Amino acid sequence: MIPTSNVCYIVGAMSLTPDLRPYPTQGDYVIAADRGFDSLMAYGVNPNLAVGDFDSLGHRPNHPNVIQLPPEKDDTDMVYALRKGLELGYRRFILLGGVGGRLEHTLGNLQLLDWLARRGGQGFLAGEKTVATCVRDGKTISFPPSMSGYLSVFCNSGTAEGVNLADLKYPLKDYTLTGDFPIGVSNQFLGKEAAVSVRKGSLILVWEDKGDFYANLPRLWAK
């Protein structure tokens, strides 16, 4: 049984900034998805597992634990890595190197945040000075007072009922967000502990990373 505090890091093809270099602790698990292998090795982080068709990397990595996937498949390399993490018992995920680059991959990775939430997990997609996560169906995410800048909240699909945005510049209370109008764009932190919750449905939250993602992370896991 994996303790709920342990994290599965999944590193994709886009390069990592020094601020996002993972520092796994005992019990954490690191999966390199395709060219994410090079990104990790550049920072001296040896993954537990490398998966992918390795079209971006250009070769099968020299690693003792490799799963090589066919180039034509339903699951992206990132999806396969997430399935593996869930299979191993992890429910907390940090997805690195999955923002920027090809737009379709970024959109797909944002969808995976909700896919994880539906399976009892939570993921953070971090990169390009941006962090995103998903909250759904009765969950709340709290932000520490130290956070500043913009926070955007989107309905992920259909409607999200009972949305509350507390202690932000533009609060909402028991509001219904819809997936066809971006009323939640560019809210702002106020130097207070803020919270976002939803009674029913799915929200995608996106905010600026100012190099303090890992420092704030302990407060950001949904409850």
Side-chain angles (χ1 to χ4, degrees):
M1 182 73 177
I2 302 295
T4 56
S5 58
N6 286 131
V7 174
C8 180
Y9 295 87
I10 299 177
V11 181
M14 263 58 82
S15 59
L16 295 180
T17 64
D19 288 335
L20 290 177
R21 176 204 188 279
Y23 290 89
T25 59
Q26 185 175 0
D28 292 344
Y29 199 81
V30 181
I31 303 177
D34 206 305
R35 195 160 59 88
F37 184 82
D38 274 358
S39 298
L40 285 168
M41 298 305 289
Y43 285 106
V45 181
N46 191 23
N48 298 93
L49 172 67
V51 303
D53 54 26
F54 305 116
D55 59 341
S56 298
L57 186 61
H59 61 88
R60 181 184 173 93
N62 182 17
H63 190 275
N65 195 12
V66 175
I67 299 176
Q68 185 150 6
L69 305 174
E72 295 182 1
K73 54 191 183 299
D74 291 334
D75 287 353
T76 64
D77 296 338
M78 187 72 81
V79 172
Y80 187 93
L82 285 171
R83 289 190 191 277
K84 190 65 178 178
L86 288 168
E87 177 186 314
L88 291 170
Y90 289 89
R91 292 298 178 268
R92 291 183 170 188
F93 293 83
I94 296 175
L95 285 62
L96 304 171
V99 179
R102 290 170 58 182
L103 177 60
E104 65 268 34
H105 281 294
T106 298
L107 291 173
N109 291 333
L110 286 167
Q111 286 186 325
L112 288 176
L113 298 175
D114 191 47
W115 183 85
L116 277 173
R118 288 178 179 273
R119 287 155 180 80
Q122 184 182 3
F124 290 92
L125 179 64
E128 297 284 323
K129 299 183 179 180
T130 300
V131 181
T133 193
C134 175
V135 60
R136 66 172 300 126
D137 293 339
K139 296 287 188 177
T140 300
I141 291 182
S142 297
F143 296 88
S146 59
M147 293 188 67
S148 61
Y150 292 104
L151 167 69
S152 295
V153 180
F154 301 94
C155 174
N156 196 36
S157 63
T159 60
E161 302 173 8
V163 175
N164 294 288
L165 310 182
D167 290 311
L168 293 162
K169 184 173 182 179
Y170 306 108
L172 291 175
K173 186 172 182 179
D174 199 24
Y175 193 85
T176 297
L177 283 179
T178 63
D180 60 358
F181 189 75
I183 194 172
V185 169
S186 296
N187 213 320
Q188 293 181 43
F189 295 107
L190 297 175
K192 304 177 181 179
E193 180 169 328
V196 175
S197 64
V198 57
R199 184 177 67 250
K200 181 180 179 182
S202 173
L203 302 176
I204 294 292
L205 284 59
V206 183
W207 64 94
E208 299 173 273
D209 174 32
K210 299 187 175 183
D212 53 4
F213 168 58
Y214 289 119
N216 292 320
L217 185 61
R219 299 283 295 276
L220 297 174
W221 297 111
K223 299 177 180 177

